[in-house]
Amino acid sequence: ISSQVSANPTNGFSVVTWTGTSSSATIGHGLGVAPSMIIAKCRVTSAVYNNWGVYHTILGNTKYLELSNSGAAGTGSTWWNNTSPTSSVFSIGTQFSENNSTYVAYCFAAIPGFSAFGSYTGNGSADGPFVFCGFRPRFILIKNISSAYHWEIIDTARNPYNLSDALLYPSSYSAEETSAITNRPFDILSNGMKARSSDSAINASGSTYIYAAFADVPFKYARGR
């Protein structure tokens, strides 16, 4: 499939658009390295499927999430065609290739000191797991992939003080919540983050969580808050 790409390989980000053909295909992404995370969306509201679909390197090429709902990770070849991204292309199944429908994808590659994409396993304790990012995070997106809990956004712009407790939910129309209601705070540290709650949305014992984190400043300039 022919695609239009606007890419910034230095920052590990590209925006890609294409038109579906009813067949699986490969799409160029312009990053020069395999993306760690892809968020794709049909731009035609009348399409059979037009939710936000998510690929994450931890899930692998057979599974998917939807940014627009709270469900656990699902399995299906129609999403990423059971094929991992390469340094030049990512693969799509028919989910993202309805004939003549237009699509957009946001592709992210991990850049040391700038962005990180990974996972952690919850321990069910208020002394939660430490997640090393290699920088002080400015923006964090988290999802429990084992169970149906909302995606959560934490950032240090809305709440610049530890513990970070102002939450937004991409998978919900809810307004911002704080720990006074939800009790799901994070420590934002000079080189990563640490859950400070046993709440299942961020730290259920044995559950797997994926994250995307973007830096405030590179690690060599970072300080704890």
Side-chain angles (χ1 to χ4, degrees):
I1 290 180
S2 176
S3 61
Q4 294 75 48
V5 183
S6 178
N8 184 336
T10 300
N11 290 337
F13 177 62
S14 68
V15 181
V16 185
T17 59
W18 68 93
T19 300
T21 63
S22 297
S23 299
S24 57
T26 56
I27 309 291
H29 54 68
L31 293 177
V33 297
S36 297
M37 187 173 182
I38 302 167
I39 303 174
K41 175 81 167 66
C42 183
R43 299 190 292 172
V44 180
T45 57
S46 60
V48 173
Y49 177 80
N50 58 15
N51 286 348
W52 293 88
V54 179
Y55 165 87
H56 194 285
T57 184
I58 296 301
L59 293 174
N61 59 47
T62 65
K63 293 185 178 295
Y64 67 90
L65 287 163
E66 293 177 297
L67 189 64
S68 42
N69 72 53
S70 60
T75 302
S77 62
T78 59
W79 295 73
W80 314 112
N81 203 32
N82 291 354
T83 305
S84 297
T86 71
S87 60
S88 58
V89 300
F90 64 94
S91 295
I92 57 167
T94 54
Q95 202 84 14
F96 297 113
S97 191
E98 184 173 328
N99 195 43
N100 292 325
S101 288
T102 56
Y103 294 83
V104 61
Y106 303 93
C107 304
F108 302 87
I111 303 296
F114 182 82
S115 60
F117 304 85
S119 67
Y120 64 91
T121 302
N123 64 11
S125 167
D127 184 13
F130 166 71
V131 180
F132 177 78
C133 296
F135 50 77
R136 182 177 67 212
R138 177 72 164 177
F139 173 97
I140 305 163
L141 176 67
I142 293 174
K143 176 72 174 78
N144 182 333
I145 65 174
S146 303
S147 303
Y149 290 96
H150 283 303
W151 293 83
E152 301 199 356
I153 291 175
I154 301 158
D155 65 80
T156 61
R158 290 176 300 121
N159 185 0
Y161 306 104
N162 268 338
L163 299 168
S164 282
D165 56 9
L167 303 174
L168 289 171
Y169 307 117
S171 46
S172 170
Y173 293 111
S174 297
E176 179 185 79
E177 294 189 13
T178 68
S179 63
I181 302 170
T182 61
N183 194 32
R184 297 199 289 275
F186 268 83
D187 263 338
I188 305 301
L189 307 171
S190 65
N191 58 350
M193 58 187 178
K194 184 178 177 67
R196 288 295 187 181
S197 168
S198 60
D199 190 281
S200 295
I202 62 169
N203 191 26
S205 180
S207 285
T208 300
Y209 299 82
I210 61 167
Y211 66 86
F214 296 87
D216 187 353
V217 291
F219 177 62
K220 67 179 181 178
Y221 301 115
R223 297 176 296 172
R225 293 194 297 155

Short mmCIF file of all heavy atoms in Angstrom, two decimals, residues 154 159 161 163-167 177-180 182 184-186:
data_model
loop_
_atom_site.label_atom_id
_atom_site.label_comp_id
_atom_site.label_asym_id
_atom_site.label_seq_id
_atom_site.Cartn_x
_atom_site.Cartn_y
_atom_site.Cartn_z
N ILE A 154 -0.61 10.02 33.26
CA ILE A 154 -0.04 10.79 34.36
C ILE A 154 0.97 11.75 33.74
O ILE A 154 1.74 11.36 32.85
CB ILE A 154 0.68 9.88 35.37
CG1 ILE A 154 -0.29 8.84 35.94
CG2 ILE A 154 1.32 10.68 36.50
CD1 ILE A 154 0.39 7.62 36.48
N ASN A 159 0.22 18.15 37.47
CA ASN A 159 0.56 18.02 38.88
C ASN A 159 2.08 17.93 39.01
O ASN A 159 2.66 16.86 38.88
CB ASN A 159 -0.09 16.78 39.50
CG ASN A 159 0.15 16.69 40.99
OD1 ASN A 159 0.80 17.56 41.58
ND2 ASN A 159 -0.36 15.65 41.61
N TYR A 161 4.04 18.08 41.49
CA TYR A 161 4.58 17.66 42.78
C TYR A 161 4.31 16.19 43.03
O TYR A 161 3.26 15.67 42.67
CB TYR A 161 3.96 18.49 43.92
CG TYR A 161 4.11 19.97 43.71
CD1 TYR A 161 3.02 20.74 43.31
CD2 TYR A 161 5.33 20.60 43.89
CE1 TYR A 161 3.16 22.11 43.10
CE2 TYR A 161 5.48 21.96 43.69
CZ TYR A 161 4.39 22.70 43.30
OH TYR A 161 4.52 24.05 43.09
N LEU A 163 3.25 13.11 45.44
CA LEU A 163 3.05 12.04 44.47
C LEU A 163 2.15 12.51 43.34
O LEU A 163 1.19 13.21 43.58
CB LEU A 163 2.42 10.84 45.16
CG LEU A 163 3.20 10.20 46.30
CD1 LEU A 163 2.32 9.23 47.04
CD2 LEU A 163 4.43 9.51 45.80
N SER A 164 2.46 12.06 42.10
CA SER A 164 1.60 12.42 40.98
C SER A 164 0.30 11.65 41.07
O SER A 164 0.29 10.43 41.12
CB SER A 164 2.32 12.10 39.66
OG SER A 164 3.27 13.07 39.37
N ASP A 165 -0.81 12.36 41.11
CA ASP A 165 -2.09 11.70 41.38
C ASP A 165 -3.23 12.25 40.53
O ASP A 165 -4.39 11.91 40.74
CB ASP A 165 -2.46 11.83 42.86
CG ASP A 165 -2.50 13.27 43.35
OD1 ASP A 165 -2.41 14.18 42.50
OD2 ASP A 165 -2.62 13.48 44.55
N ALA A 166 -2.93 13.12 39.57
CA ALA A 166 -3.97 13.65 38.70
C ALA A 166 -4.04 12.78 37.45
O ALA A 166 -3.09 12.72 36.67
CB ALA A 166 -3.67 15.09 38.32
N LEU A 167 -5.15 12.07 37.28
CA LEU A 167 -5.26 11.06 36.23
C LEU A 167 -6.25 11.46 35.15
O LEU A 167 -7.31 12.02 35.44
CB LEU A 167 -5.71 9.72 36.84
CG LEU A 167 -4.85 9.16 37.96
CD1 LEU A 167 -5.51 7.92 38.54
CD2 LEU A 167 -3.46 8.82 37.45
N GLU A 177 -9.29 12.88 37.49
CA GLU A 177 -9.46 12.43 38.87
C GLU A 177 -8.15 12.57 39.63
O GLU A 177 -7.07 12.63 39.03
CB GLU A 177 -9.93 10.97 38.90
CG GLU A 177 -11.33 10.78 38.32
CD GLU A 177 -11.86 9.38 38.55
OE1 GLU A 177 -11.27 8.64 39.36
OE2 GLU A 177 -12.87 9.03 37.92
N THR A 178 -8.26 12.62 40.95
CA THR A 178 -7.08 12.71 41.80
C THR A 178 -7.09 11.58 42.81
O THR A 178 -8.08 10.88 42.97
CB THR A 178 -7.03 14.05 42.56
OG1 THR A 178 -8.09 14.07 43.52
CG2 THR A 178 -7.17 15.23 41.60
N SER A 179 -5.98 11.41 43.53
CA SER A 179 -5.86 10.29 44.46
C SER A 179 -6.85 10.37 45.61
O SER A 179 -7.11 9.38 46.28
CB SER A 179 -4.44 10.20 45.02
OG SER A 179 -4.13 11.35 45.78
N ALA A 180 -7.39 11.56 45.86
CA ALA A 180 -8.42 11.66 46.89
C ALA A 180 -9.62 10.78 46.54
O ALA A 180 -10.35 10.32 47.41
CB ALA A 180 -8.86 13.11 47.05
N THR A 182 -9.32 8.24 43.68
CA THR A 182 -8.90 6.97 43.10
C THR A 182 -7.77 6.28 43.83
O THR A 182 -7.57 5.09 43.67
CB THR A 182 -8.47 7.19 41.64
OG1 THR A 182 -7.35 8.11 41.62
CG2 THR A 182 -9.60 7.77 40.82
N ARG A 184 -4.48 6.26 43.39
CA ARG A 184 -3.55 5.57 42.49
C ARG A 184 -2.35 6.47 42.19
O ARG A 184 -2.10 6.82 41.04
CB ARG A 184 -4.25 5.15 41.20
CG ARG A 184 -5.38 4.16 41.43
CD ARG A 184 -5.75 3.43 40.16
NE ARG A 184 -6.43 4.26 39.19
CZ ARG A 184 -7.75 4.48 39.20
NH1 ARG A 184 -8.50 3.95 40.15
NH2 ARG A 184 -8.30 5.22 38.28
N PRO A 185 -1.57 6.84 43.19
CA PRO A 185 -0.46 7.75 42.95
C PRO A 185 0.80 7.06 42.45
O PRO A 185 1.02 5.87 42.65
CB PRO A 185 -0.21 8.35 44.34
CG PRO A 185 -0.57 7.23 45.27
CD PRO A 185 -1.72 6.51 44.62
N PHE A 186 1.66 7.84 41.79
CA PHE A 186 2.98 7.41 41.34
C PHE A 186 4.04 8.36 41.88
O PHE A 186 3.82 9.57 41.95
CB PHE A 186 3.06 7.41 39.81
CG PHE A 186 2.71 6.10 39.17
CD1 PHE A 186 1.39 5.78 38.94
CD2 PHE A 186 3.68 5.19 38.81
CE1 PHE A 186 1.04 4.58 38.35
CE2 PHE A 186 3.35 3.99 38.22
CZ PHE A 186 2.04 3.67 37.98
#
